[in-house]
Amino acid sequence: MLRKADTQRILGSVETLGEILLDWRLKAGLNQSDAARRCGVTPQHWWLLENDQRPNVSGDTIDKLARGTGYAAERLLIAAHRIRHKQSALMPATA
């Protein structure tokens, strides 16, 4: 399995939803629980989002994240879409 650094080297520096959320949280000086609370999601859900473990993020969640972070929903939606493309690029081809 590839590490995140290997993935970034292979696919380039494409910003994912998790990277945006982590950057926002650190700049805001919040821990994951506080960030989750501010965005109206559970801490467990926040962890999955921040670690790009949710390839299918709902529109409702995108709206909550946009309200909580102040980022445009469109930016978050595009970044969430990139997670699916990164994950599919790393999956082995099936015969």
Side-chain angles (χ1 to χ4, degrees):
M1 179 160 212
L2 293 173
R3 296 173 303 157
K4 190 171 186 174
D6 295 329
T7 302
Q8 287 176 335
R9 181 180 48 77
I10 292 167
L11 298 175
S13 59
V14 175
E15 193 174 38
T16 66
L17 180 62
E19 292 164 345
I20 291 171
L21 295 178
L22 175 62
D23 183 61
W24 171 79
R25 181 175 66 79
L26 295 176
K27 286 178 180 174
L30 299 173
N31 62 36
Q32 287 185 336
S33 293
D34 291 337
R37 191 174 312 109
R38 186 176 287 188
C39 292
V41 298
T42 66
Q44 294 82 5
H45 194 185
W46 180 271
W47 185 92
L48 291 170
L49 293 166
E50 190 175 287
N51 287 282
D52 290 328
Q53 299 298 309
R54 294 295 305 235
N56 298 309
V57 181
S58 73
D60 182 53
T61 298
I62 292 292
D63 289 340
K64 288 179 182 181
L65 295 173
R67 284 192 301 273
T69 63
Y71 289 128
E74 293 80 10
R75 178 182 181 195
L76 300 176
L77 187 60
I78 290 167
H81 186 67
R82 288 180 179 150
I83 296 168
R84 287 193 294 275
H85 288 286
K86 278 189 168 188
Q87 288 178 343
S88 64
L90 294 176
M91 296 185 75
T94 56

